[in-house]
Amino acid sequence: MAAPMLRWGCRGRRWAFARVDGGSCHRRGAPTGSTSNRIRGESSVAQQPLHTAQKTRKGEHKWAAVVGLEIHAQISSNSKLFSGSQVRFSAPPNSLVSFFDASLPGTLPVLNRRCVEAAVMTGLALNCHINKKSLFDRKHYFYADLPAGYQITQQRLPIAVNGSLIYGVCAGKKQSQVIPKTVRIKQIQLEQDSGKSLHDNLRSQTLIDLNRAGVGLLEVVLEPDMSCGEEAATAVRELQLILQALGTSQANMAEGQLRVDANISVHHPGEPLGVRTEVKNLNSIRFLAKAIDYEIQRQINELENGGEILNETRSFHHKLGCTMSMRDKEGKQDYRFMPEPNLPPLVLYDATSLPAGADPQQVINIDQIRETLPELPSVTREKLVQQYGMLLEHSFTLLNEVGLLEFFQNVIKETRAEPKKVTSWVLNTFLGYLKQQNLAVSESPVTPSALAELLDLLDSRTISSSAAKQVMDVKNRNPRAINKLIGLVRKATQSRADPVMIKEILEKKLSL
């Protein structure tokens, strides 16, 4: 039986390619959601001037936008960062809480080796310098879903610093040209997650679930090298692909495993930087792009109308498409950082500094982890371009759509059709069909084998291109009919039926 809910009566060199629809809404209203998934914290991003993000109208001053990100990724681990409690999504409330997670007196943290290895692997993949010695700190703030009254993090000396992430944005008249961009990574640090507050407005109470309290997080701090929502969204998507390729985080935004805080300001080029705002807890790449673009335009409108920008924390209302004020921005002094007294410095080794006769289970070897790094998305894209002769933007699409690369590769294995034809059918016809039906790749009733068979029939000229496309046109037909139609043609072909007869059978079925 699930533990009872706690009640609280009082009132936080890689590439990417994606088309992100921007949008803004000037309506204002209170959030309608009842759930708060806050990761609270102070922005550690320093602002620097960038090129302009907005097109200038005649007679208007030019504006430059500055965007920095703090990304919190939940580490893929069976247990929490400092306790042996299990990590499981959608477990009954308060069923995965140890004495340490609940901050009972006398309990002490024990560092999870898997989380440290995940941080080192992520740092290496992002071209970071791995600090052989890093420190843990206490960051104080008082919320009901943080029982200890502080979070254990790495403020002074994090585990990895000074990295870079290469991503790509689309440009050109048909958005078919990929322009590489680089964002600097200030640091990667290990820290605890907080619990979850569920606000019941009808009963004027807040319910606390501590299952998430103490789960290991990687905080990746990106320097403010971006200037619009699309750049931020493509950078986050590329980071998401890298984390998934490494296996260090599932990075499923729908389950809260990847959350983003965006720091945004605007200013006139050549003038001092503007006051920034922070938009917290963005858990969708599409909402991230919309929130940033809206906030940039809001700040410009505010300044042009004689107002001022407040240094504050804001939230994004996804239904209204606009940001709204939450609270004033905390400063470093509000957190009262102090060294964590219950954890010694975290010491890592490489091949040159590893002590002779050291137990491999008791030390972490940076060079050994470097050797186990898997193939990263940038390398996969290069291989796709070289092996199949596809355009670079097509390789981005294959990786960005979840499950599409595996589907494509399975079709390639089972068909005699040319790779370029397979690429065209998968990215245009098949992907268009999925979007028309509002389906994910994993939900598609069309299997790789079925599409491969259809392409073989097309390649052997058993059916025409228009007939093959009609098979995929299921606007007014049961989606599973596609596989049946392909099977029908296959049987007719195997029975050596006349091609004219096959065509008549197919046209008759398509007309139903």
Side-chain angles (χ1 to χ4, degrees), residues 303-316:
L303 293 170
E304 289 185 343
N305 290 326
E308 63 175 345
I309 305 302
L310 301 177
N311 184 216
E312 61 182 352
T313 299
R314 300 177 69 87
S315 63
F316 180 67

Side-chain angles (χ1 to χ4, degrees), residues 294-452:
Y294 173 86
E295 183 60 19
I296 290 171
Q297 193 58 51
R298 184 194 72 84
Q299 292 187 20
I300 291 174
N301 292 342
E302 190 76 26
L303 293 170
E304 289 185 343
N305 290 326
E308 63 175 345
I309 305 302
L310 301 177
N311 184 216
E312 61 182 352
T313 299
R314 300 177 69 87
S315 63
F316 180 67
H317 194 300
H318 68 277
K319 290 183 179 178
L320 298 179
C322 53
T323 65
M324 292 179 296
S325 179
M326 291 173 62
R327 58 181 180 268
D328 290 340
K329 194 78 189 81
E330 299 94 340
K332 278 188 178 181
Q333 66 278 6
D334 298 320
Y335 293 110
R336 296 183 293 116
F337 285 101
M338 61 170 282
E340 169 53 59
N342 295 323
L343 286 168
L346 173 59
V347 179
L348 308 175
Y349 299 92
D350 58 18
T352 58
S353 61
L354 188 67
D359 184 355
Q361 298 301 317
Q362 299 299 318
V363 297
I364 291 179
N365 188 331
I366 299 171
D367 291 330
Q368 192 174 46
I369 293 175
R370 194 192 309 274
E371 291 172 2
T372 63
L373 287 176
E375 181 177 286
L376 296 176
S378 58
V379 178
T380 303
R381 292 189 190 101
E382 289 173 7
K383 286 185 176 180
L384 288 171
V385 171
Q386 293 173 1
Q387 186 173 355
Y388 301 117
M390 67 175 64
L391 298 175
L392 183 59
E393 54 265 28
H394 291 165
S395 69
F396 279 103
T397 306
L398 283 176
L399 264 73
N400 280 350
E401 294 289 337
V402 178
L404 190 61
L405 176 61
E406 184 181 0
F407 185 96
F408 169 81
Q409 290 173 330
N410 288 335
V411 174
I412 285 284
K413 289 176 186 175
E414 299 186 39
T415 185
R416 299 186 301 271
E418 290 292 320
K420 286 188 177 181
K421 182 178 285 188
V422 178
T423 301
S424 174
W425 268 79
V426 169
L427 295 184
N428 297 322
T429 310
F430 175 70
L431 200 54
Y433 155 73
L434 291 182
K435 290 180 179 178
Q436 183 186 93
Q437 299 295 319
N438 196 24
L439 295 173
V441 175
S442 60
E443 299 170 328
S444 171
V446 182
T447 63
S449 298
L451 183 57

Side-chain angles (χ1 to χ4, degrees), residues 48-68:
Q48 295 183 9
L50 290 175
H51 58 83
T52 59
Q54 303 294 327
K55 288 186 178 178
T56 309
R57 295 178 185 174
K58 218 169 184 179
E60 288 183 347
H61 291 293
K62 192 181 292 184
W63 289 97
V66 179
V67 180

Side-chain angles (χ1 to χ4, degrees), residues 449-471:
S449 298
L451 183 57
E453 203 162 0
L454 183 66
L455 291 174
D456 283 344
L457 292 170
L458 181 61
D459 192 56
S460 62
R461 298 186 180 180
T462 304
I463 60 174
S464 66
S465 177
S466 60
K469 287 179 179 177
Q470 276 185 284
V471 171

Side-chain angles (χ1 to χ4, degrees), residues 28-63:
R28 297 183 183 272
T32 57
S34 61
T35 303
S36 171
N37 292 328
R38 299 187 308 268
I39 295 183
R40 290 173 281 285
E42 164 219 8
S43 169
S44 54
V45 179
Q47 301 260 328
Q48 295 183 9
L50 290 175
H51 58 83
T52 59
Q54 303 294 327
K55 288 186 178 178
T56 309
R57 295 178 185 174
K58 218 169 184 179
E60 288 183 347
H61 291 293
K62 192 181 292 184
W63 289 97

